[in-house]
Amino acid sequence: SESLWRLLESRTDAVHEIPASRWPVDTLYHPTPGTPGKSYVRSAALLDRVDEFDAAFFGILPGEATSMDPQQRILMEVAHEAVSDAGQVWNRGQGHPGGVFIGISGSDYVTRMRLSRDPGDPLEPHAVTGSALNAAAGRLSYFFGLQGPCMAIDTACSSSLVAVHLACQALRAGECSVALAGGVNLILTPDAHIALSQMQALAPDGRCKTFDAAADGYGRGEGCGVVVLKRLSDALAVGDRIRAVIRGSATNQDGASSGLTVPNGLAQEALIRKALAHARIKPSEVQYVEAHGTGTPLGDPIELGALAAVFRDREMPLYVGSVKTNIGHLEAAAGIVALIKTIVSLEKGRIPAHRNYSTPNPLVDWNAIPVSIPTETLRWPDGKRIAGVSSFGFTGVNAHVVMEAAPTTSHPAESAGWRILPLSAK
């Protein structure tokens, strides 16, 4: 989380040219949108060394590790870091009532493995567990000995924030006493890149210019994040270090809109109101919203319109930003990295600058909405620190989480919510 904060505070741009180790960019590039079989984008925010994995540490044989989707590998690494940093110790042999909720959508590694295998070669015996999306969650439960709910969630771009919402519900229902929630996204083949280029959904320079007049599509990114969740009363009872509190959350669907992938502003508005009601928080109490903010000319004005409808009556401006302007759109992992950014911001008492913003989007009536886009790092406004986090799936599944800074009290009855332990992101 500290490395993420340094990236945010320094206003780092993590986008770079796609390396040849991913795919032959020169061969598959064409500057003209719509060129069959080509992408007009040659940049993305990609991780380094995603092929590396300490299989022996996790008790996995080299042959099985080779068959494992790197998304599973990185999830194991990041989840282990999060659990260790949280000071959680579980007896794997005895089992523990813990849940696992993982947002995951892509299956690029399956494609790579299929294309690299000779049709006559026998299928590697671990190929099924190595490629199944549900195994990404199942491996974590198996490794840690967790016997609560375990599921992989695919709601496209909202997957990992929906995972957090479902984890909170399971904790409240008593289905588990602790939960790992997060998401992962790796871009290992050019297929989706080319398809999204054919749809002209991507920004030519690979960067999200969220809320700016230059917004022309989204830039893709990679990453993984995991948080450790407990009921607040349980965390306080054992003296766990608290990073932030989830006061409430909600999910919904766009339903009928002008197109399957077209956002529904009324549904977004209803979602945020529902999450606020669940959190017992007034709109005027929220100081910051980490927006979905992909940087599309259609989506940005719709999202700002929904925020304006919910937060219109207030004396202080509502600060709105998006981590996507730093690290691109992490798709299935977008919600968890937005949540982690917000956690660290609440802790630090500072709101990071929003990148790639110089000329406000002319399709937005900025004088009619109480929104301010921070162009430099700001001190968090005085009073109780409260923020919202939004994540919207491209086929209409939406999620919103309402968060509060960690309580200073040691009395469980004085606050309500689900506690977030130390976290990890990559």
Side-chain angles (χ1 to χ4, degrees):
S1 60
E2 284 301 318
S3 59
L4 175 63
W5 179 254
R6 289 193 296 271
L7 179 146
L8 293 169
E9 200 164 39
S10 63
R11 303 186 65 179
T12 297
D13 178 7
V15 176
H16 52 264
E17 180 154 313
I18 298 166
S21 59
R22 295 301 177 98
W23 60 76
V25 178
D26 291 337
T27 301
L28 297 177
Y29 172 78
H30 196 285
T32 304
T35 302
K38 304 290 184 177
S39 169
Y40 57 85
V41 183
R42 53 189 307 139
S43 298
L46 304 181
L47 298 174
D48 297 325
R49 301 159 60 186
V50 297
D51 57 328
E52 298 181 8
F53 179 60
D54 189 351
F57 179 85
F58 294 98
I60 297 172
L61 295 175
E64 182 177 3
T66 301
S67 297
M68 286 173 60
D69 187 333
Q71 293 182 128
Q72 294 186 24
R73 303 178 206 161
I74 195 173
L75 264 171
M76 294 194 74
E77 294 171 341
V78 173
H80 181 269
E81 292 174 14
V83 171
S84 298
D85 191 47
Q88 301 299 291
V89 179
W90 305 315
N91 188 321
R92 182 174 183 270
Q94 293 181 357
H96 187 81
V100 175
F101 303 82
I102 298 299
I104 182 170
S105 183
S107 54
D108 284 2
Y109 193 63
V110 177
T111 302
R112 285 190 70 137
M113 293 294 283
R114 186 181 69 249
L115 293 175
S116 65
R117 185 173 68 89
D118 189 295
D121 291 342
L123 193 65
E124 211 283 332
H126 296 292
V128 175
T129 54
S131 61
L133 296 184
N134 57 77
R139 282 190 189 276
L140 297 183
S141 292
Y142 171 77
F143 178 75
F144 291 111
L146 302 178
Q147 297 179 330
C150 175
M151 61 191 74
I153 295 108
D154 179 8
T155 59
C157 315
S158 59
S159 298
S160 54
L161 203 64
V162 170
V164 170
H165 169 74
L166 294 175
C168 291
Q169 286 190 322
L171 286 164
R172 187 169 73 168
E175 295 178 346
C176 53
S177 60
V178 64
L180 305 182
V184 63
N185 187 58
L186 294 181
I187 304 167
L188 305 176
T189 74
D191 295 9
H193 222 69
I194 292 171
L196 289 165
S197 293
Q198 299 301 307
M199 296 169 62
Q200 299 189 34
L202 301 181
D205 63 357
R207 291 169 175 83
C208 296
K209 296 171 282 292
T210 308
F211 307 137
D212 194 84
D216 55 357
Y218 80 87
R220 302 184 75 197
E222 293 183 324
C224 177
V226 175
V227 293
V228 183
L229 303 169
K230 276 188 178 180
R231 288 182 290 270
L232 180 61
S233 57
D234 291 346
L236 290 170
V238 298
D240 285 325
R241 180 163 63 101
I242 299 174
R243 304 291 295 267
V245 175
I246 294 177
R247 289 291 303 266
S249 61
T251 63
N252 75 355
Q253 227 284 347
D254 280 345
S257 65
S258 58
L260 175 63
T261 61
V262 177
N264 185 330
L266 293 177
Q268 293 179 15
E269 178 185 343
L271 170 78
I272 298 169
R273 292 190 189 279
K274 184 178 179 181
L276 288 169
H278 183 237
R280 299 191 297 277
I281 292 291
K282 298 176 182 177
S284 60
E285 296 180 272
V286 179
Q287 299 133 330
Y288 175 76
V289 169
E290 175 66 15
H292 182 62
T294 54
T296 59
L298 175 63
D300 286 0
I302 291 174
E303 182 171 12
L304 286 173
L307 291 174
V310 175
F311 297 101
R312 188 179 305 280
D313 298 323
R314 57 190 297 120
E315 296 180 3
M316 300 296 292
L318 176 73
Y319 293 104
V320 178
S322 175
V323 70
K324 293 179 180 65
T325 60
N326 296 92
I327 61 174
H329 184 1
L330 271 57
E331 298 165 342
I336 193 65
V337 74
L339 187 87
I340 291 172
K341 171 193 171 180
T342 307
I343 292 167
V344 183
S345 299
L346 287 166
E347 281 188 310
K348 301 288 186 181
R350 298 199 295 277
I351 298 173
H354 179 89
R355 279 185 50 83
N356 305 333
Y357 181 78
S358 57
T359 304
N361 189 318
L363 299 178
V364 177
D365 185 359
W366 293 95
N367 294 323
I369 64 175
V371 165
S372 177
I373 309 299
T375 55
E376 59 183 24
T377 299
L378 305 175
R379 184 176 64 86
W380 200 283
D382 294 335
K384 189 163 54 174
R385 295 176 195 163
I386 297 177
V389 181
S390 290
S391 192
F392 309 140
F394 85 112
T395 53
V397 180
N398 309 310
H400 189 81
V401 171
V402 180
M403 306 183 67
E404 183 179 351
T408 56
T409 176
S410 60
H411 302 291
E414 294 186 15
S415 189
W418 297 275
R419 181 298 198 143
I420 296 180
L421 286 161
L423 44 88
S424 180
K426 187 170 183 178

